[in-house]
Amino acid sequence: KVICGESIAKEGIILFPTKSLGLCGSLSLGLCRGITGGTYATTTEVYPDSPKATGEICNEAQVAAIVAALDFVLATQTEDIPRFYPIGTPGKPWSDSERNQWKESRKYHRSYKEEVLDKLDKLKSNDALEVVQYGALSHNPGRYPLFAVKSKQWKDDKPTLLVTGGVHGYETSGVQGALLFLETQAAKYTTQVNVLVAPCISPWAYEHIERWNADLKDPNRSFKKGNETEESAALMSYLDSLNVKEWACHLDLHETTDTDELEFMPAKHAEAGLAYSGEVIPDGFYLVGDSEDPQLDFLQAIIDGVEKVTHIAPEKVICGES
């Protein structure tokens, strides 16, 4: 009924005021078990000198303690996560079966050919621009060729502009805005700068109005060597082939939509086995700059231009950032 001078709470369990004692499992007692301040923490004790135990049994007992703790915590986390997405089990990462279920449930919504390729065909008669195919998606190359549009008067001594759209295929204005720029504005800049526009980097996702590509990967997390998707690899290879010494400017066109909160972020969290608590969608236009090289004058110039057309997001915090 008493262990180490402490009353037994349950068989094999005593309770110390560990938060005030400073044990490894306690912050205030200095206990090792307290260094993390974790939700669940305890100190194990075995008795290797017992006639009922051996060193091997004690080792196995420590392993059993770790495994039981992990099973409890994982089960608790799963129980605490309500179902927020129709595929998978809350708290458990998706298997290949669930990924296939997601892919099979996707629906075709709009035509890449009619809304993108046909517009690019019309640009082929533009005296200042040329349309270049830089790749195709291997799962359906005939349906999903990849195109860029560049200045015909391309010169190495000019500054070079890159505009990318449709990295997330569901973000319509990224694609259509890039095309509208090509149709209405690009030509007049080609004498001053090299203009390069890749208007629809992820065409499968454009047709299916999805953030992920057909392989359940986010192309906008893959522009890094060794982590490429087909979409990002094709574009990076094409950019490398141009041998541009220094890019003067790159605008990557995106949207934040209500479906981020209703579909895409829930799917992302469900696939990873994580809980999802919702998103705050900014109402208006905003820019994502680089905290290591803010270039605030450049960003402010864009804000000044855009606010003539639409409103700027008024929130003091956007996507969790000040």
Side-chain angles (χ1 to χ4, degrees):
K1 294 183 179 180
V2 176
I3 299 176
C4 297
E6 298 292 332
S7 299
I8 296 173
K10 285 188 175 182
E11 183 180 8
I13 299 173
I14 58 173
L15 301 176
F16 272 18
T18 55
K19 291 184 178 179
S20 59
L21 288 179
L23 306 177
C24 176
S26 161
L27 289 172
S28 55
L29 289 181
L31 300 182
C32 177
R33 57 162 277 192
I35 59 176
T36 63
T39 302
Y40 298 102
T42 188
T43 300
T44 69
E45 298 284 353
V46 295
Y47 183 35
D49 296 321
S50 170
K52 299 178 182 179
T54 64
E56 290 181 356
I57 289 175
C58 291
N59 295 343
E60 292 174 2
Q62 301 286 25
V63 173
I66 297 168
V67 170
L70 285 171
D71 288 345
F72 175 86
V73 171
L74 292 173
T76 301
Q77 290 177 343
T78 301
E79 290 170 2
D80 288 345
I81 299 176
R83 175 168 289 280
F84 58 86
Y85 197 75
I87 297 173
T89 301
K92 293 184 178 181
W94 287 0
S95 65
D96 288 343
S97 174
E98 288 155 331
R99 292 187 181 92
N100 288 334
Q101 183 183 350
W102 179 88
K103 187 172 180 179
E104 291 169 0
S105 65
R106 299 308 92 185
K107 296 180 180 179
Y108 168 90
H109 290 282
R110 57 190 177 187
S111 171
Y112 174 57
K113 179 184 182 304
E114 293 176 2
E115 297 188 16
V116 178
L117 298 183
D118 287 354
K119 291 183 178 182
L120 291 176
D121 280 341
K122 293 179 181 179
L123 288 171
K124 291 177 180 178
S125 60
N126 189 299
D127 293 336
L129 303 170
E130 63 176 321
V131 179
V132 179
Q133 182 173 352
Y134 64 87
L137 298 185
S138 63
H139 56 85
N140 198 334
R143 187 183 188 107
Y144 299 124
L146 302 171
F147 287 97
V149 180
K150 64 189 291 285
S151 307
K152 285 184 177 178
Q153 299 179 36
W154 189 278
K155 294 183 179 180
D156 291 342
D157 59 354
K158 290 182 182 178
T160 303
L161 162 74
L162 173 64
V163 176
T164 47
V167 175
H168 290 145
Y170 75 98
E171 296 172 1
T172 306
S173 70
V175 176
Q176 296 302 323
L179 290 168
L180 184 61
F181 169 74
L182 287 168
E183 293 165 351
T184 63
Q185 300 291 327
K188 68 182 182 182
Y189 288 100
T190 57
T191 58
Q192 300 170 280
V193 299
N194 297 321
V195 173
L196 178 65
V197 179
C200 192
I201 290 171
S202 188
W204 180 92
Y206 183 82
E207 286 200 329
H208 292 80
I209 310 185
E210 293 293 341
R211 182 183 181 91
W212 283 333
N213 67 9
D215 298 318
L216 282 78
K217 294 181 179 179
D218 185 339
N220 205 32
R221 302 296 184 271
S222 66
F223 286 88
K224 185 177 181 181
K225 297 293 185 182
N227 192 43
E228 302 96 332
T229 61
E230 277 198 76
E231 294 85 355
S232 64
L235 181 63
M236 289 192 293
S237 177
Y238 176 57
L239 297 182
D240 287 345
S241 74
L242 296 174
N243 295 314
V244 176
K245 294 180 181 179
E246 183 177 353
W247 296 90
C249 183
H250 177 198
L251 277 78
D252 188 28
L253 310 182
H254 285 261
E255 293 180 343
T256 304
T257 70
D258 287 344
T259 46
D260 281 270
E261 181 180 15
L262 299 174
E263 167 62 25
F264 305 124
M265 291 299 104
K268 176 182 177 179
H269 284 73
E271 193 268 342
L274 301 175
Y276 178 68
S277 57
E279 303 282 324
V280 176
I281 305 301
D283 182 359
F285 180 91
Y286 65 97
L287 295 170
V288 181
D290 183 352
S291 61
E292 296 179 353
D293 186 19
Q295 300 285 353
L296 291 179
D297 290 345
F298 165 67
L299 301 179
Q300 187 60 53
I302 297 173
I303 293 293
D304 293 344
V306 171
E307 66 182 355
K308 298 173 184 177
V309 177
T310 190
H311 63 290
I312 307 304
E315 290 86 350
K316 293 182 179 179
V317 175
I318 299 175
C319 300
E321 299 293 333
S322 298

